[in-house]
């Protein structure tokens, strides 16, 4: 199926809703003065609250939409019911100036409501949402390069407050800038606790009413998304997953679609959101590939801010060539295939699950810190990105998979592994190597050298042709010297020890064929950076 223009999709969306709203146009509403709101910074979260019907089932019975306007530009959004007779509109302005809005609803109390606000200059810590840049890489909306160095804490928002605070502190201390996390709670080995909130209303027997979301559940997740934004961390939000004992993975199609649209209406206006349609989608036996195709189209249709979209698998890979997928989310450590995938998909690749550092009995959960560090280097040198996870059990407690100890891979909390510090070192190295200054730089990111004798990747200058920096990684090889084939420009050279996190500058400059003495130890790296003549 070819991609559909967003405006066309909005016109086609929700035939029932449009038919209902047709007789309730804003023009038909009584004229009221526009509500004047305070200023909202660029890429900030604008919110308008309206009073409306509370009887019946407002989640289903009441439709609310709004058109936001700046000059000749218009953006349509859906509103949502937030409980207790309160309806909300959320919007993320991406351009400074005077914005206005007007509502459409089948409820008279909500129809024809108007307002206006000023979009002011962005705060210095908010660079806007992340999108694809330079085919295989990412950047914020203001042009600042973004290199994802993330971790995995699937159910951290469903733990106690103390664990959630520990998680935020651990993320900040480890300098992770992305977290993979689930909307729905998780039921799995070592995951048997009940969440503090449930996503839908439930009766005394624990039966969920999928037509009535629980606003407190979603407001809690939104607060955590805002907390992540405050520490510069993207929320890679997993919308479905198979590890479930409550029935959320096997909802009927109409409930799936309703849930998606509710989440999108509530959360799309957050700048630090990525959409992951599922974790291990192929293990969700109640859903088909066609279901997930439909989910992608709903996300395309109902996210007016075009956040990143992908899907994660267990064994059967999703077709990442499909136009509605913005980047690949892989469960593999097959870095040697990255070159072919990058050429075929022409999209960024995130190796989101390369197993975990820890001491589980399962092979997927007992990598050493050294091996996790190595996998990050292999992914970066391949021109891709890698995600961390940690699965350490306390060796002084009983090993009981029916218990629910705090393990970062799922629950969050404090990190105890040895790889996070080395990953933070690599992140800083990449940011200093691959991010060119200025918003008009033609290339940001490291691209692998194909068929290289020793693994290396480079960033290029503003022309998009000449190497600005070259990073070699020798993996398990331990040569005592190597003759590097450098371009015909002068380069400085640095010896890098990824584990000890040291950088040693070599004297002089190098160009062309340059024989350099190395340490003779494995898992070492060398960085070359082009010498730029200073101007008076």
């Amino acid at each position: 199926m070819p991609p559909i223009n967003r405006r066309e999709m909005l016109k086609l969306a929700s035939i029932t809703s449009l038919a209902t709203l047709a007789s309730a146009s804003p023009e038909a509403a009584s004229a009221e003065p526009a509500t004047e709101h305070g200023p909202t910074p660029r890429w900030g979260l604008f919110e308008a609250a309206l009073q409306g019907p509370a009887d019946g089932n407002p989640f289903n019975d009441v439709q609310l939409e709004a058109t936001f306007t700046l000059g000749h530009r218009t953006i349509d959004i859906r509103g949502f019911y937030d409980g207790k007779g309160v309806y909300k509109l959320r919007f993320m302005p991406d351009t400074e100036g005077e914005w206005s809005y007007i509502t459409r609803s089948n409820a008279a109390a909500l129809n024809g409501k108007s307002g206006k606000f000023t979009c002011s200059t962005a705060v210095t810590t908010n660079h806007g949402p992340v999108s694809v840049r330079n085919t295989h890489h990412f950047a914020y909306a203001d042009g600042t390069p973004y290199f994802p160095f993330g971790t995995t804490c699937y159910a951290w928002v469903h733990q106690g407050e103390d664990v959630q605070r520990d998680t935020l502190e651990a993320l900040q201390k480890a300098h992770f800038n992305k977290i993979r996390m689930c909307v729905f709670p998780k039921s799995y080995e070592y995951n048997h606790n009940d969440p503090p909130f449930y996503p839908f209303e439930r009766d005394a027997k624990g039966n969920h009413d999928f037509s009535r979301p629980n606003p407190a559940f979603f407001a809690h997740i939104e607060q955590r998304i805002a907390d992540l934004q405050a520490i510069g961390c993207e929320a890679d939000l997993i919308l479905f997953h198979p590890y479930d004992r409550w029935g959320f993975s096997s909802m009927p199609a109409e409930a799936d679609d309703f849930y998606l649209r509710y989440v999108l209406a509530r959360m799309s206006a957050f700048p630090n959101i990525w959409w992951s349609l599922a974790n291990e989608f192929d293990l969700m036996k109640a859903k088909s590939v066609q279901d997930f195709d439909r989910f992608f189209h709903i996300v395309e249709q109902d996210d007016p801010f075009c956040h990143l979209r992908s899907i994660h698998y267990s064994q059967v890979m999703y077709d990442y060539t499909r136009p509605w997928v913005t980047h690949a989310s892989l469960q593999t450590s097959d870095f040697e295939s990255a070159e072919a995938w990058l050429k075929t998909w022409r999209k960024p690749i995130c190796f989101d699950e390369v197993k975990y550092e820890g001491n589980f009995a399962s092979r997927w959960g007992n990598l050493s810190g050294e091996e996790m560090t190595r996998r990050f280097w292999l992914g970066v040198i391949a021109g891709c990105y890698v995600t961390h996870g940690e699965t350490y059990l306390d060796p002084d407690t009983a090993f009981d998979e029916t218990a629910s100890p705090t393990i970062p891979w799922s629950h969050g909390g404090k990190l105890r592994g040895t790889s996070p510090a080395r990953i933070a070192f690599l992140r800083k190295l990449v940011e200093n190597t691959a991010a060119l200054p200025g918003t008009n730089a033609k290339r940001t990111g490291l691209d692998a050298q194909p068929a290289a004798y020793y693994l290396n990747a480079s960033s290029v200058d503003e022309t998009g042709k000449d190497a600005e920096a070259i990073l070699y990684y020798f993996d398990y090889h331990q040569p005592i010297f190597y003759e590097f084939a450098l371009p015909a420009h002068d380069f400085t050279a640095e010896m890098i020890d990824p584990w000890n996190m040291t950088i040693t500058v070599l004297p002089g400059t190098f160009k062309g064929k340059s024989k350099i003495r190395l340490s003779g130890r494995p898992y070492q790296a060398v960085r070359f950076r082009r010498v730029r003549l200073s101007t008076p």
Side-chain angles (χ1 to χ4, degrees), residues 169-454:
E169 291 176 6
L171 289 169
Q172 192 168 21
K173 182 179 179 181
H175 300 285
F176 286 123
N177 61 4
K178 183 170 81 80
I179 183 171
R180 298 186 66 236
M181 54 184 281
C182 298
V183 175
F184 289 128
K186 181 176 181 178
S187 180
Y188 193 60
E189 60 187 64
Y190 302 113
N191 286 261
H192 304 285
N193 55 309
D194 286 311
F197 303 97
Y198 287 96
F200 303 100
E201 290 184 12
R202 39 192 260 142
D203 61 23
K205 295 182 180 179
N207 299 312
H208 293 270
D209 184 346
F210 298 139
S211 71
R212 291 179 178 270
N214 175 11
F217 172 91
F218 294 96
H220 172 70
I221 294 178
E222 290 158 1
Q223 179 57 58
R224 290 312 184 210
I225 292 171
D227 292 338
L228 292 170
Q229 183 188 357
I231 62 172
C233 193
E234 301 288 301
D236 194 354
L237 202 61
I238 299 167
L239 296 168
F240 293 96
H241 69 80
Y243 302 110
D244 167 47
R245 65 175 183 270
W246 302 280
F248 307 137
S249 63
S250 56
M251 296 187 297
E254 60 273 16
D256 288 335
D257 296 358
F258 170 73
Y259 151 74
L260 278 178
R261 289 194 168 100
Y262 188 73
V263 169
L264 291 160
R266 291 194 67 117
M267 299 184 187
S268 289
F270 285 86
N272 59 321
I273 284 283
W274 300 26
W275 304 118
S276 177
L277 272 291
N279 194 68
E280 298 188 330
F281 84 94
D282 49 320
L283 300 187
M284 297 186 68
K285 302 307 180 184
K287 313 290 182 209
S288 66
V289 173
Q290 290 72 31
D291 287 322
F292 287 101
D293 292 346
R294 186 179 79 253
F295 297 160
F296 268 110
H297 290 313
I298 291 173
V299 173
E300 277 193 303
Q301 169 190 311
D302 278 39
D303 175 9
F305 310 110
C306 302
H307 291 289
L308 293 166
R309 301 177 299 272
S310 194
I311 188 168
H312 171 276
Y313 63 92
S314 174
Q315 300 294 326
V316 181
M317 188 181 288
Y318 189 79
D319 182 1
Y320 293 111
T321 64
R322 293 183 176 183
W324 46 83
V325 179
T326 59
H327 63 286
S329 173
L330 306 186
Q331 179 173 179
T332 181
S333 55
D334 182 10
F335 301 108
E336 292 183 357
S337 295
E339 180 183 347
W341 289 333
L342 289 168
K343 287 181 179 178
T344 300
W345 300 334
R346 294 189 56 77
K347 297 172 184 179
I349 293 177
C350 293
F351 285 83
D352 275 327
E353 191 172 339
V354 295
K355 300 186 170 67
Y356 304 104
E357 179 187 352
N359 59 7
F360 270 24
S362 302
R363 290 185 299 175
W364 54 262
N366 55 29
L367 294 183
S368 66
E370 290 86 348
E371 179 58 22
M372 177 61 78
T373 301
R374 172 181 177 259
R375 294 186 183 199
F376 263 78
W377 273 84
L378 290 173
V380 164
I381 293 296
C384 304
Y385 302 95
V386 184
T387 300
H388 163 273
E390 185 176 298
T391 48
Y392 278 110
L393 293 169
D394 186 344
D396 297 325
T397 61
F399 304 136
D400 181 6
E401 293 182 359
T402 65
S404 295
T406 300
I407 304 172
W409 128 91
S410 187
H411 311 92
K414 298 177 180 179
L415 295 168
R416 54 186 288 191
T418 55
S419 67
R422 279 82 187 176
I423 295 167
F425 172 78
L426 176 59
R427 175 188 166 185
K428 185 176 181 180
L429 189 76
V430 170
E431 289 175 344
N432 291 338
T433 302
L436 296 177
T439 58
N440 294 321
K442 293 186 177 181
R443 300 295 292 174
T444 55
L446 289 170
D447 292 314
Q449 175 67 34
Y453 189 75
Y454 285 121

